Amino acid sequence: MNILTEIETRVLGSLVEKELTTPEYYPLSLNALVNACNQKSNRDPVMNLNENAVSQALRSLDKEGLAGPADAMDNRVTKFEHRLQEAFNFERREIAILCELLLRGPQTPGELRSRAERMHRFDDLGQVQSTLQRLAQREPPVVKMLPRQPGTKEARYAHLLSGDVQIRAPEAAPEAAVTHSTTDGERIARLENEVGALQKEVAELKQQLAAFRKQFE
């Protein structure tokens, strides 16, 4: 399978979401699919796609066997459906997790559990983690765990339908070195000022002592 673009993942995720949350309105017309892609809720980032962009994404997904026109007796309006189940033979819980990753990007197991509940109820966090492990252990894998971010307790997971995800670790070391160097410089400057002040006081004391001695010569 070719790597999916951001628009293709949004179209695919929107089709999956609507099948699971509003099956009475599924499959979707092109207009309904555009509206689903451009929703402000349950989307990250929020997009503003037009019909041409969605149509082009549908053609690409159709070639990959992931989405396409739905068979229907009413041919007045073409409607579209996803074919994720046929392509991967997912369980419902796997589809729900993957759908959230397609629509919102990398997330923690805790976030996935609460957000995917509208599509599949997970009894506990362990079920989410086991589902993520199943997706990660597929051949080829469809999700991966990302490096844990500083200050966070949970690692995030990302889907791999758009290719491998590379997250750069924060470059804390150079910043720490700069801060350390700056602190040392300030300390040295302060010590130099203190030494200069002491030297000035010693010179003044010498002058006063010399003047005092002259009084008894």
Side-chain angles (χ1 to χ4, degrees):
M1 187 184 72
N2 291 324
I3 292 175
L4 302 184
T5 66
E6 188 177 33
I7 297 177
E8 290 164 3
T9 59
R10 175 57 55 86
V11 170
L12 182 59
S14 298
L15 286 171
V16 174
E17 178 196 51
K18 296 309 176 185
E19 183 202 22
L20 297 179
T21 59
T22 56
E24 64 274 21
Y25 300 113
Y26 181 84
L28 303 181
S29 66
L30 180 59
N31 182 63
L33 180 54
V34 171
N35 291 335
C37 291
N38 293 336
Q39 273 185 212
K40 294 184 178 180
S41 60
N42 304 316
R43 303 289 186 270
D44 187 16
V46 174
M47 293 183 173
N48 186 23
L49 304 178
N50 56 34
E51 289 190 357
N52 289 335
V54 174
S55 295
Q56 183 176 348
L58 282 168
R59 288 192 292 270
S60 298
L61 291 170
D62 194 9
K63 291 179 181 178
E64 298 294 337
L66 296 177
D71 296 328
M73 292 182 294
D74 185 0
N75 295 321
R76 289 177 299 175
V77 177
T78 303
K79 295 190 175 183
F80 300 91
E81 63 183 1
H82 75 86
R83 294 168 187 157
L84 209 58
Q85 179 62 27
E86 292 87 339
F88 293 98
N89 193 29
F90 285 135
E91 296 179 359
R92 186 181 177 95
R93 59 176 180 166
E94 294 174 323
I95 292 182
I97 291 294
L98 185 59
C99 178
E100 281 300 324
L101 294 175
L102 290 170
L103 293 176
R104 289 179 182 256
Q107 298 166 71
T108 67
E111 291 171 333
L112 288 169
R113 182 190 178 192
S114 61
R115 293 168 177 173
E117 187 174 7
R118 58 205 173 96
M119 294 178 282
H120 178 79
R121 181 177 178 80
F122 292 89
D123 293 334
D124 53 45
L125 203 58
Q127 289 189 348
V128 178
Q129 292 169 331
S130 64
T131 302
L132 287 166
Q133 290 174 2
R134 285 171 59 90
L135 293 170
Q137 292 169 358
R138 277 179 166 262
E139 189 57 46
V142 292
V143 305
K144 70 175 291 187
M145 184 173 69
L146 303 179
R148 186 173 300 175
Q149 299 295 303
T152 61
K153 295 182 179 179
E154 287 187 282
R156 295 185 304 161
Y157 289 78
H159 74 83
L160 298 176
L161 298 187
S162 296
D164 195 11
V165 181
Q166 299 293 337
I167 302 295
R168 292 183 60 187
E171 298 180 358
E175 294 180 2
V178 171
T179 303
H180 183 68
S181 176
T182 301
T183 303
D184 285 346
E186 293 175 349
R187 187 183 300 113
I188 292 171
R190 185 171 63 252
L191 290 173
E192 288 177 345
N193 291 334
E194 291 176 356
V195 170
L198 289 172
Q199 288 176 338
K200 184 178 179 181
E201 289 180 8
V202 170
E204 291 177 350
L205 287 172
K206 285 182 178 180
Q207 289 178 357
Q208 293 175 6
L209 181 60
F212 180 74
R213 285 177 176 175
K214 285 183 180 179
Q215 294 179 5
F216 298 95
E217 290 178 356

